[in-house]
Amino acid sequence: MEKELKPDAIIIGSGLAGLVAAMEITNAGKKVMLVDQETEQNIGGQAFWSFGGLFLINSPQQRRMGIKDSYELALQDWMGTAGFDREEDYWPRKWAEAYLKFAAGEKYEYISKMGIKLMFMVGWAERGDGNASGHGNSVPRFHVSWGTGTGVIKPFVQKAYEAKEKGLLQMKFRHRVTGLIRENDTIVGIQGDILEDDDKERGVATNRNVIDQFECKADHIVIATGGIGANHDLVRKNWPQRLGSPPKNIVCGVPAYVDGKMIGIAESSGAHIINRDRMWHYTEGLQNWDPIWPNHGIRILPGPSSIWLDALGNRLPAPLYPGFDTLGTLKYIQDTGYDYSWFILTQKIIKKEFALSGSEQNPDITNKDYMLFLKRIFGKKAPGPVEAFKEHGKDFIVSDHLEELVQKMNQLSGDHLLDYNKVKTLIGARDRELDNKFSKDTQINYLRNTRSYLGDKLGRVAKPHKILDPENGPLIAVRLNILTRKTLGGIETNLNGQVLQENGNILKGLYAAGEVAGFGGGGMHGYRALEGTFLGGCIFSGMKVGKYIGSL
């Protein structure tokens, strides 16, 4: 059956965007060949490892939590965050507007029909720069899939295998595309290497031993291969001056196969690449004590209470608090001349406010274990994986005494930049602001305000308390590393996902979806993201490409 299949479309990449596109095309009765350089164990791509956050507007979950959201408010937040200011932002802006309409309308029904269920509490990610018309989410919009990223990809993986059984989908793993076949002004096929099989577990770097070559042709070629997050040479090459100097030390938030090579291959075939300098990296990265892929980093999803110090022991200025302004914080840290920073917190804070990004770091949600989830909310300890990092993680320090804590922080960094008296003075001043119900400390005022939202009060924001009070201990310090994650620029496309050339003309036969296209158009997020929009961007762009090809 596989030898006889003559595909109408070839999709490069078996991640979320590629799977959604494949589903839509096969739903229309057309045949698809799905190729991927990785093994079948890695089907679903990066999305498998994600926390499963999905951005929705005016969802049933929001309304039940008393959140008043609207397309207009979300548009205000998105545009204030994106900061579109370039001529090449024409299609990214169009994609952003279309995605917001999707998130406020069809998206909830679309994912519900696929069997994706959302948790009842809505998270408040990327809380912004403190300006109503500026960067950040005005309200909570971060909906976690019950099942994390594994729950998001599962129905699309199932649809792929169902289409395979019907003879509509052929899967070609260990097929690495090295070139696109162009005839005149049309992309008509792909060529590349067949790699030796590998039995390593999902996420572990596989071999690159070439055993043969291949060539395939079809009327429609879709690139859905992700960004550049694991290719640190490309990250540093494209690093923008506005974010300071590129970090010397980086931990990797994505598997090794996220190498960005298809972006260059597409460009050499005539695709227009835009917004290369727009990227999304985190400042709260941890070195994974139990790594899966090379230089494996895990991101802390922090609540807003921890004291954030730079490498020199200065408290980060307002509004650079945990979970507020990712790229604003990144620029501040890089401008210090050091590529790490510190959280100082208490056991009460870590128990309530620390979550770790990744399906494997959230077994209660990933495995849909209600009892374990209730233990996360009401238990005396932090979630098991967080406690494991506290015990085994290289970046964690625990002590009952601040002087000892600072001493060990200096030993860990090796720079010996922290002065105990300075740190004690900073935290002591912050603690004294809790003696009254009112305060001049912006962070404390925000903590008190945000607990008026039930979701934060129940499971995200600890009751404000004095960090140096022994009753709230032990004290915890966490060294934070720069962690690579998402590519916000990429292949320019129109609203059908058709790839554009530099002159604005369509490159016939070629399409792009997901992160390789900046989640739509070559960068629908602009300079910054509102979070929960990466998986949703893969779903939306894959759907748009798939439906368009299916309609032809």
Side-chain angles (χ1 to χ4, degrees):
M1 182 176 65
E2 287 194 348
K3 291 181 180 179
E4 295 174 358
L5 186 141
K6 294 181 180 179
D8 299 293
I10 297 171
I11 298 175
I12 311 166
S14 65
L16 180 58
L19 291 173
V20 175
M23 181 188 75
E24 294 291 353
I25 296 169
T26 55
N27 281 350
K30 296 182 183 294
K31 295 179 179 180
V32 170
M33 178 182 290
L34 189 66
V35 303
D36 198 298
Q37 68 179 348
E38 286 307 310
T39 60
E40 191 168 359
Q41 291 97 308
N42 286 280
I43 190 169
Q46 296 179 66
F48 175 91
W49 300 104
S50 74
F51 193 45
L54 293 166
F55 177 97
L56 290 161
I57 302 166
N58 192 29
S59 69
Q61 287 79 7
Q62 285 177 301
R63 294 193 294 271
R64 281 196 290 268
M65 296 296 292
I67 300 164
K68 296 180 180 179
D69 199 7
S70 66
Y71 171 80
E72 292 75 19
L73 182 60
L75 180 66
Q76 169 185 304
D77 289 346
W78 192 289
M79 294 305 170
T81 295
F84 293 124
D85 60 1
R86 299 172 177 174
E87 185 177 346
E88 61 192 31
D89 283 332
Y90 175 81
W91 284 112
R93 185 190 293 270
K94 292 289 186 184
W95 271 90
E97 292 168 350
Y99 176 68
L100 287 169
K101 290 177 182 176
F102 177 66
E106 181 188 357
K107 185 178 181 180
Y108 185 81
E109 183 179 2
Y110 188 87
I111 63 173
S112 296
K113 284 184 177 179
M114 293 301 300
I116 297 172
K117 298 184 183 303
L118 304 175
M119 299 183 66
F120 72 94
M121 282 200 305
V122 184
W124 198 343
E126 204 63 14
R127 302 178 186 222
D129 63 5
N131 186 335
S133 59
H135 168 57
N137 285 295
S138 294
V139 297
R141 297 189 177 106
F142 192 82
H143 298 68
V144 177
S145 167
W146 187 232
T148 62
T150 66
V152 173
I153 69 164
K154 183 179 179 180
F156 299 105
V157 172
Q158 288 176 339
K159 289 291 185 181
Y161 283 105
E162 289 172 9
K164 181 182 178 183
E165 288 296 316
K166 295 175 183 177
L168 292 173
L169 179 68
Q170 186 177 24
M171 298 181 182
K172 292 286 188 182
F173 295 100
R174 304 302 282 162
H175 282 58
R176 177 177 62 187
V177 175
T178 58
L180 300 173
I181 302 170
R182 179 168 175 167
E183 296 179 358
N184 299 320
D185 292 328
T186 304
I187 302 299
V188 299
I190 60 174
Q191 58 189 11
D193 302 323
I194 300 176
L195 304 179
E196 182 183 354
D197 202 7
D198 204 315
D199 61 0
K200 292 187 178 68
E201 294 182 7
R202 181 190 286 269
V204 179
T206 57
N207 75 70
R208 290 294 180 262
N209 303 328
V210 178
I211 60 173
D212 206 348
Q213 275 73 46
F214 73 95
E215 181 177 300
C216 302
K217 291 188 175 182
D219 291 337
H220 311 284
I221 310 297
V222 182
I223 302 174
T225 50
I228 67 173
N231 190 333
H232 291 176
D233 289 337
L234 268 182
V235 169
R236 292 188 176 98
K237 180 181 178 181
N238 294 321
W239 191 272
Q241 285 188 338
R242 66 179 178 276
L243 294 181
S245 301
K248 295 178 181 178
N249 300 300
I250 302 176
V251 293
C252 193
V254 293
Y257 55 73
V258 188
D259 55 24
K261 290 182 179 178
M262 276 308 304
I263 297 175
I265 292 169
E267 184 175 28
S268 67
S269 296
H272 190 209
I273 313 302
I274 61 176
N275 298 317
R276 299 175 196 267
D277 63 322
R278 291 178 180 172
M279 51 186 69
W280 189 255
H281 306 306
Y282 292 110
T283 53
E284 311 99 335
L286 304 173
Q287 301 171 79
N288 195 343
W289 65 274
D290 188 18
I292 297 171
W293 53 78
N295 192 26
H296 189 171
I298 294 291
R299 186 208 172 195
I300 298 170
L301 301 173
S305 297
S306 298
I307 296 292
W308 203 336
L309 303 179
D310 64 26
L312 299 167
N314 301 306
R315 189 177 175 190
L316 270 62
L320 301 183
Y321 304 129
F324 275 65
D325 185 349
T326 294
L327 294 192
T329 307
L330 177 58
K331 173 175 170 44
Y332 175 91
I333 290 170
Q334 291 308 112
D335 284 347
T336 67
Y338 298 89
D339 48 24
Y340 68 92
S341 58
W342 298 98
F343 278 167
I344 293 181
L345 59 149
T346 65
Q347 179 63 28
K348 284 186 177 180
I349 293 174
I350 199 172
K351 181 264 164 196
K352 191 93 167 185
E353 299 193 6
F354 266 39
L356 300 173
S357 181
S359 55
E360 82 284 11
Q361 300 296 332
N362 295 275
D364 53 342
I365 305 173
T366 299
N367 299 325
K368 303 180 181 180
D369 187 327
Y370 288 97
M371 294 304 295
L372 195 57
F373 176 71
L374 290 174
K375 188 175 180 181
R376 174 198 288 247
I377 301 297
F378 300 109
K380 294 182 179 179
K381 292 187 175 182
V386 175
E387 290 289 345
F389 261 89
K390 194 177 78 173
E391 180 178 354
H392 303 293
K394 181 179 179 181
D395 298 306
F396 279 77
I397 301 166
V398 182
S399 176
D400 289 323
H401 305 286
L402 182 64
E403 186 170 11
E404 181 186 49
L405 190 81
V406 173
Q407 181 183 4
K408 290 183 176 180
M409 291 164 72
N410 278 324
Q411 291 173 353
L412 179 60
S413 72
D415 294 325
H416 298 278
L417 298 171
L418 301 176
D419 179 82
Y420 161 68
N421 290 318
K422 178 179 178 180
V423 174
K424 182 181 178 181
T425 299
L426 280 172
I427 300 177
R430 177 263 184 203
D431 282 358
R432 278 188 286 275
E433 293 291 311
L434 289 166
D435 289 337
N436 295 287
K437 291 182 179 181
F438 42 86
S439 169
K440 73 175 182 180
D441 190 282
T442 305
Q443 186 175 14
I444 287 174
N445 289 336
Y446 183 83
L447 299 180
R448 287 168 168 161
N449 172 70
T450 193
R451 280 172 59 86
S452 63
Y453 166 53
L454 182 60
D456 275 353
K457 186 174 184 178
L458 281 177
R460 201 65 182 122
V461 181
K463 184 177 180 180
H465 58 272
K466 294 188 175 183
I467 287 175
L468 296 183
D469 187 334
E471 291 185 0
N472 299 319
L475 294 168
I476 301 164
V478 186
R479 181 177 61 180
L480 307 172
N481 308 274
I482 307 302
L483 177 140
T484 61
R485 186 59 64 85
K486 295 301 178 187
T487 308
L488 298 188
I491 301 172
E492 186 179 23
T493 66
N494 64 17
L495 281 176
N496 297 321
Q498 294 170 288
V499 171
L500 302 178
Q501 301 176 74
E502 188 172 1
N503 61 10
N505 292 336
I506 292 169
L507 183 53
K508 296 176 184 178
L510 190 62
Y511 307 78
E515 189 176 351
V516 76
F519 302 94
M524 73 171 186
H525 294 94
Y527 288 94
R528 301 179 184 87
L530 287 175
E531 292 284 27
T533 56
F534 301 131
L535 294 181
C538 288
I539 291 172
F540 182 60
S541 59
M543 181 192 77
K544 293 284 284 185
V545 168
K547 286 189 172 182
Y548 179 73
I549 293 174
S551 70
L552 297 177

